[in-house]
């Protein structure tokens, strides 16, 4: 963490180079405390892929969540190096796990998701001691068939690995706006995970995300990540979390029917669609620019806030994010889990 000081001892957001990633402190604190009340301690295993920032992970640990979910080897390495290695789950398959060996020798507890003999053998060779059997619960991504989970657990045990349980990410349910429909898809998915768990044993059933954090009663731990910063796609679900993340941009050109600011698709994850602008209608984004119709008069030089549609890839484009209160920058955090 780095503290910034402007002329009056406090940096104003107007002094930041744009595009700049902002985190609104009140919304951020609200999200942390609402989730910690709903899923205290180990009931939440926050996914760091959304914020990619050990300063935020430390805040999550500070409200009681000391076990984390990671998506990449780099996230595991950096979380352990930051003193956050009590219980790290690499929730992705890796066919070469050797980078985990020094992390584990240095004292971090690392559990790896596996879905094949190949990934089990790679974990065993790297000195990994604990695994979760990753199960395909309906999202066509990683994960074994539920009926194969028992065989894989046996193979892992034969390689000297402890099987802590199962993992099954119901990602295909996350964005369903209709809560009842979302609940049904989560339930169908968890029926598959239950079958798999009966075959593997172990105490952990790890699943879920921001969209299912309160409608997944099977999971012993929920892997939500987006909740702490939020995006406009998740805002449609009417969850109790507030939009903390925005990208500060500068209006660089104004035409009679539209305006252009310096926040394009190199500063925004666009896979969930266009971002939003309060008081404006977004027409489109190009590499460095966002073109929008302003609903109130704007001039070149004005600062605007762009609300991303997808938090994870947006954050991954930025080196820093700024915690703000009003116009003041309270802290500047390095997005130190970026890269691979
Ligand atoms: C394995 C896994 N678990 C959990 C999540 C949940 O994240 P979110 O809180 O963004 O829904 C994700 C998101 O992509 C994921 O890939």
């Amino acid at each position: 963490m780095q503290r910034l000081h402007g002329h009056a001892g406090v940096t104003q957001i107007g002094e930041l180079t744009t595009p700049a990633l902002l985190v609104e402190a009140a919304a951020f604190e609200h999200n942390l405390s609402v989730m910690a009340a709903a899923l205290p301690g180990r009931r939440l295993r926050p996914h760091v892929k959304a914020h990619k920032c050990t300063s935020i992970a430390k805040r999550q640990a500070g409200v009681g969540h000391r076990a984390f979910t990671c998506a990449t080897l780099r996230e595991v390495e950096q979380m352990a190096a930051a003193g956050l290695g009590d219980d790290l789950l690499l929730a992705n398959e890796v066919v070469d796990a050797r980078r985990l060996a020094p992390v584990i020798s240095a004292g971090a507890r690392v559990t790896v998701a596996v879905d094949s003999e190949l990934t089990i053998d790679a974990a065993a060779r790297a000195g990994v001691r604990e695994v979760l059997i990753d199960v395909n619960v309906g999202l066509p991504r990683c994960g074994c068939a539920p009926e194969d989970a028992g065989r894989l657990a046996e193979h892992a045990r034969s390689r000297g690995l402890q099987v802590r349980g199962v993992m099954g990410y119901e990602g295909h349910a996350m964005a369903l706006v209709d809560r009842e429909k979302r609940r049904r898809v989560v339930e169908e998915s968890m029926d598959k995970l239950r079958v798999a768990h009966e075959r593997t044993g172990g105490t952990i059933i790890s699943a879920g995300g921001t969209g299912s954090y309160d409608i997944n009663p099977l999971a012993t731990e929920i892997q939500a990540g987006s909740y702490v910063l939020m995006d406009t796609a998740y805002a449609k679900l009417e969850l109790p979390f507030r939009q903390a993340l925005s990208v500060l941009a500068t209006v660089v050109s104004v035409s009679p029917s539209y305006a252009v600011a310096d926040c394009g698709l190199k500063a925004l994850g666009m896979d969930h669609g266009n971002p939003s602008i309060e008081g404006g209608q977004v027409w489109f984004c190009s590499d460095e620019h966002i073109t929008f119709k302003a609903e109130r008069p704007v001039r070149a030089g004005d600062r605007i806030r762009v609300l991303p549609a997808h938090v994870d890839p947006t954050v991954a484009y930025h080196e820093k994010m700024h915690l703000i209160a009003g116009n003041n920058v309270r802290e500047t955090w390095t997005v130190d889990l970026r890269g691979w």
Side-chain angles (χ1 to χ4, degrees):
M1 183 190 78
Q2 170 198 352
R3 284 182 195 280
L4 288 178
H5 296 291
H7 309 299
V10 180
T11 294
Q12 301 286 299
I13 59 173
E15 296 167 45
L16 297 173
T17 301
T18 56
L21 207 53
L22 305 181
V23 178
E24 212 265 308
F28 174 73
E29 302 292 344
H30 167 90
N31 295 344
L32 276 175
S33 62
V34 167
M35 185 59 101
L39 297 174
R42 296 289 172 122
R43 286 281 292 118
L44 184 75
R45 185 186 279 277
H47 209 319
V48 302
K49 73 193 282 286
H51 56 66
K52 284 194 171 284
C53 177
T54 55
S55 297
I56 293 183
K58 282 179 185 161
R59 295 298 310 276
Q60 292 172 312
V63 296
H65 316 299
R66 297 232 26 118
F68 287 93
T69 312
C70 299
T72 63
L73 289 164
R74 172 151 173 97
E75 288 173 4
V76 174
E77 289 168 338
Q78 295 293 106
M79 286 289 286
L84 294 162
D86 284 13
D87 187 351
L88 299 173
L89 167 64
L90 177 55
N92 264 337
E93 278 62 19
V94 279
V95 297
D96 180 354
R98 281 175 296 177
R99 279 166 60 190
L100 297 177
V103 180
I104 293 166
S105 322
R109 181 177 190 184
V110 180
T111 302
V112 178
V114 291
D115 69 355
S116 64
E117 274 87 359
L118 185 89
T119 48
I120 290 170
D121 294 347
R125 273 199 305 277
V128 169
R129 294 191 273 270
E130 297 172 292
V131 292
L132 288 185
I133 305 300
D134 188 6
V135 181
N136 179 345
V137 294
L139 171 72
R141 212 169 67 175
C142 296
C144 67
E147 54 276 18
D148 291 334
R151 178 176 54 78
L152 290 172
E154 234 172 77
H155 180 73
R157 289 185 179 115
S158 78
R159 296 295 315 256
L161 294 162
Q162 195 202 327
V163 178
R164 293 182 75 187
V166 289
M167 168 189 139
Y169 175 53
E170 71 277 29
H172 55 304
M174 264 345 121
L176 298 172
V177 174
D178 182 295
R179 186 173 162 89
E180 266 322 298
K181 187 164 181 207
R182 198 160 74 247
R183 188 198 295 277
R184 268 200 313 280
V185 175
V186 171
E187 200 177 312
E188 284 162 18
S189 308
M190 291 304 107
D191 285 346
K192 295 185 180 142
L193 198 55
R194 184 185 294 106
V195 167
H197 183 240
E198 281 160 11
R199 293 169 188 220
T200 63
T203 55
I204 293 182
I205 302 178
S206 195
T210 299
S212 66
Y213 84 100
D214 62 343
I215 50 171
N216 186 333
L218 182 75
T220 59
E221 56 178 41
I222 295 285
Q223 303 178 352
S226 300
Y227 78 96
V228 75
L229 297 176
M230 287 295 282
D231 55 35
T232 60
Y234 262 138
K236 292 186 193 141
L237 269 52
E238 294 180 359
L239 301 166
F241 307 112
R242 296 185 188 151
Q243 183 72 38
L245 189 77
S246 63
V247 183
L248 183 71
T250 306
V251 176
V252 291
S253 178
V254 178
S255 298
S257 54
Y258 61 87
V260 178
D262 62 353
C263 170
L265 51 86
K266 290 180 190 168
L268 291 162
M270 297 282 293
D271 60 317
H272 288 173
N274 277 339
S276 310
I277 295 176
E278 275 166 28
Q281 271 172 16
V282 175
W283 283 7
F284 62 92
C285 292
S286 44
D287 286 357
E288 277 82 21
H289 301 111
I290 185 164
T291 299
F292 65 103
K293 181 169 171 41
E295 281 155 4
R296 48 179 179 256
V298 286
R299 288 179 310 184
D302 285 356
R303 295 278 170 118
I304 59 163
R305 305 272 181 98
V306 180
L307 306 180
H310 194 182
V311 47
D312 309 50
T314 298
V315 170
Y317 279 125
H318 294 259
E319 289 172 1
K320 291 185 160 89
M321 53 182 133
H322 308 277
L323 184 74
I324 60 149
N327 283 327
N328 294 337
V329 178
R330 277 199 193 161
E331 292 175 18
T332 291
W333 298 326
T334 304
V335 186
D336 53 354
L337 303 177
R338 296 166 79 219
W340 284 271

